Amino acid sequence: MSILFSVIFFVFILHSLLASTEGFVMNYYNSIFYNQTDQHNSLQCNLDLRLIKEIRNYQPIIYSIINRVTKGDFKGLVYEELSNFTDKFGSRQSGTENLEKSINYTMDLLRHYNLENVHGEPCMIPVWIRGKEYAEMITPRNHSLNMLGLGGSISTPPDGITAEALVVNSFDELHERAAEAVGKIIVFNQDYVSYGETVVYRSKGAVEAAKVGGIASLIRSVTAFSLYTPHTGQQGYDKNVKEIPTACITVEDAQMLRRISERGEKIIIHLYMEAHQQQMKMSRNTVGELVGYQEQKKIVLVSGHIDSWDVGQGAMDDGAGAFVSWFSVALLKNLKLQPKRTIRAVLWTAEEQGLIGVQQYIKDHFNELENFDIVMESDEGTFTPEGIEFAGTDSAACIMQEIGKLLTPLNMRKFKVRDSVSSDITMITKYGVPGATLLNKNDRYTWYHHTNADTMTSLDSNDLDKNVAAYAAIAYVIADLSIEIPRENSIF
Ligand SMILES: [Zn+2]
């Protein structure tokens, strides 16, 4: 009897201890995340305790991922591989031989790091050639304007365009002064509000200028900060509006031109551009995998785009994003962490010309989209990561938020839900597939991207390591969880 009583008493004590330990762990997590509830878009989560426990049980694995890349022999390796790549190839514009050679090189690299099923998937991409280009103010004084033609722009006539400038601060001002615009080069000196809000001047400036009779447009670069750096980027014509040559100029010159015009002085600009479109060419999306051990056809996708503009080294946009993505898979492979489902790295081609690579990928893989657990992309900088940005249903967001808590050792505590995240993957998430990217301290992203300053010098090796750790951790947990990320609103 006494032995039986002792056993019962022991089991009772053990159970109480375990329960209080669990309570302690819960309180610990809740306390570190208590201060960030305002960043959760008031997400009301009521996750199954067993699921919470399952997710938290991954913490030791997450530590091993983080330690390997922030302290172990993988530390600094992604920076080294990316610098080998960007120093060798430089910028990788769509349609160039250089981009295709860089894709061949990357496929070899993926194989070297033991990714599986490494291959390229064909995709026809547009080819835009910048050619020779320059702009100069010739009245009231001679001054060379630092400029970059915008992607998709047409050329000027062979002798260039010499015309008076009309400098406006907004589309509204242009419309108010429409009568003055005819036959002029329209200079937009719009203030920078945010990239998302201001970029419309780059993408639609030429169309708005042409609508009121402008013969060319020069757009103030879309950036929060400038050291006399012009920023290129894609722009689009409207088939019902006359196409005119268009380029970006620096913030400094746009502001100067505005000041001169406000003094009532006449400004004459000479613009010369050889920009033109050529025949479409074949490129490839680059793919490599870590095949799951149980549900091989279920996919967790991590990605970035391998093409860049033809300026700088395309290191930040998006060499770093592309490398961080495939390298996170290489890290898991090296750690011999094989999840239930497959983790697939995809390096999109021709993102800059209008998300071309991902659109081909969707056409080729449409029937497979129902097997996608989540799609992720790094294309908004690889600065110090601070958390996760997620697109998906509330119940999916609650799971993602819980997974995000595993990244506390990286000091990542933020969680944001948005309708769509990143660039290429928005084309996939619109079909109801959950999407995610990392929130990072990317205030300086637009200082560099699409400029000659987009080089390795803008990147930090330790930050790249942390990005790798975070993508590897998130991808691994989602690919290995007992459940898939829910998607109630899916078309599937
Ligand atoms: Zn990009």
Side-chain angles (χ1 to χ4, degrees), residues 18 62 146 180 267 287 304 330 378 386 405 433 439 447 469 492:
L18 283 176
I62 303 308
N146 201 3
E180 297 172 55
I267 299 168
V287 182
S378 172
E386 298 184 302
K405 293 176 186 176
V433 181
L439 285 166
W447 297 14
F492 297 105

Side-chain angles (χ1 to χ4, degrees), residues 186-237:
I186 309 300
V187 178
F188 289 98
N189 174 47
Q190 77 286 342
D191 278 335
Y192 180 82
V193 182
S194 68
Y195 191 75
E197 288 163 281
T198 312
V199 76
V200 65
Y201 281 88
R202 186 190 81 206
S203 56
K204 290 282 155 240
V207 171
E208 292 304 311
K211 275 184 191 166
V212 292
I215 55 171
S217 53
L218 295 175
I219 322 284
R220 170 171 151 175
S221 290
V222 182
T223 179
F225 176 77
S226 177
L227 286 174
Y228 202 58
T229 323
H231 296 236
T232 190
Q234 191 65 17
Q235 66 89 36
Y237 292 121

Side-chain angles (χ1 to χ4, degrees), residues 196-478:
E197 288 163 281
T198 312
V199 76
V200 65
Y201 281 88
R202 186 190 81 206
S203 56
K204 290 282 155 240
V207 171
E208 292 304 311
K211 275 184 191 166
V212 292
I215 55 171
S217 53
L218 295 175
I219 322 284
R220 170 171 151 175
S221 290
V222 182
T223 179
F225 176 77
S226 177
L227 286 174
Y228 202 58
T229 323
H231 296 236
T232 190
Q234 191 65 17
Q235 66 89 36
Y237 292 121
D238 181 330
K239 62 180 187 311
N240 300 314
V241 179
K242 185 176 160 44
E243 296 184 356
I244 59 172
T246 184
C248 62
I249 55 172
T250 65
V251 172
E252 290 88 341
D253 278 341
Q255 290 183 336
M256 180 189 73
L257 292 169
R258 176 68 181 192
R259 288 194 302 274
I260 293 172
S261 73
E262 281 179 353
R263 290 182 200 115
E265 289 183 79
K266 186 177 189 172
I267 299 168
I268 296 176
I269 289 172
H270 178 66
L271 175 68
Y272 177 83
M273 292 172 69
E274 294 177 355
H276 62 283
Q277 215 77 40
Q278 285 184 346
Q279 292 257 312
M280 303 267 287
K281 272 192 185 160
M282 187 66 83
S283 182
R284 291 153 295 165
N285 290 313
T286 307
V287 182
E289 293 182 336
L290 192 183
V291 176
Y293 69 81
Q294 200 172 74
E295 296 175 87
Q296 285 90 354
K297 289 192 171 159
K298 299 282 184 183
I299 306 294
V300 166
L301 189 144
V302 288
S303 67
H305 65 87
I306 197 162
D307 70 300
S308 73
W309 281 105
D310 56 337
V311 289
Q313 292 186 306
M316 180 178 286
D317 186 13
D318 185 29
F323 267 57
V324 154
S325 296
W326 75 256
F327 206 76
S328 66
V329 184
L331 173 66
L332 293 171
K333 191 79 191 161
N334 192 274
L335 282 163
K336 301 198 173 15
L337 286 169
Q338 186 185 20
K340 284 191 186 73
R341 304 178 192 92
T342 296
I343 301 177
R344 180 180 293 169
V346 182
L347 314 180
W348 314 110
T349 191
E351 185 270 350
E352 298 292 4
Q353 272 64 35
L355 317 179
I356 310 297
V358 70
Q359 293 185 64
Q360 182 62 48
Y361 187 85
I362 292 169
K363 275 186 202 152
D364 296 341
H365 294 265
F366 197 75
N367 292 331
E368 201 189 7
L369 293 191
E370 64 181 318
N371 290 328
F372 282 20
D373 212 349
I374 189 167
V375 289
M376 292 188 275
E377 180 172 34
S378 172
D379 188 24
E380 289 169 3
T382 47
F383 298 90
T384 311
E386 298 184 302
I388 297 173
E389 192 167 58
F390 180 76
T393 62
D394 282 357
S395 55
C398 286
I399 296 170
M400 199 64 188
Q401 179 181 297
E402 199 58 42
I403 293 169
K405 293 176 186 176
L406 298 167
L407 301 174
T408 310
L410 287 169
N411 215 10
M412 292 174 63
R413 292 157 196 272
K414 290 186 180 174
F415 187 78
K416 226 184 219 177
V417 179
R418 285 179 55 190
D419 292 341
S420 66
V421 296
S422 202
S423 53
D424 298 275
I425 60 168
T426 57
M427 304 304 284
I428 303 179
T429 54
K430 71 182 183 187
Y431 293 108
V433 181
T437 189
L438 296 188
L439 285 166
N440 65 85
K441 276 193 178 145
N442 66 353
D443 321 2
R444 285 175 287 137
Y445 185 63
T446 64
W447 297 14
Y448 302 99
H449 103 308
H450 299 186
T451 75
N452 278 308
D454 181 353
T455 66
M456 285 307 293
T457 307
S458 68
L459 300 175
D460 178 87
S461 181
N462 291 331
D463 283 344
L464 287 182
D465 289 341
K466 287 178 191 165
N467 277 265
V468 168
Y471 278 108
I474 298 166
Y476 178 77
V477 173
I478 295 177

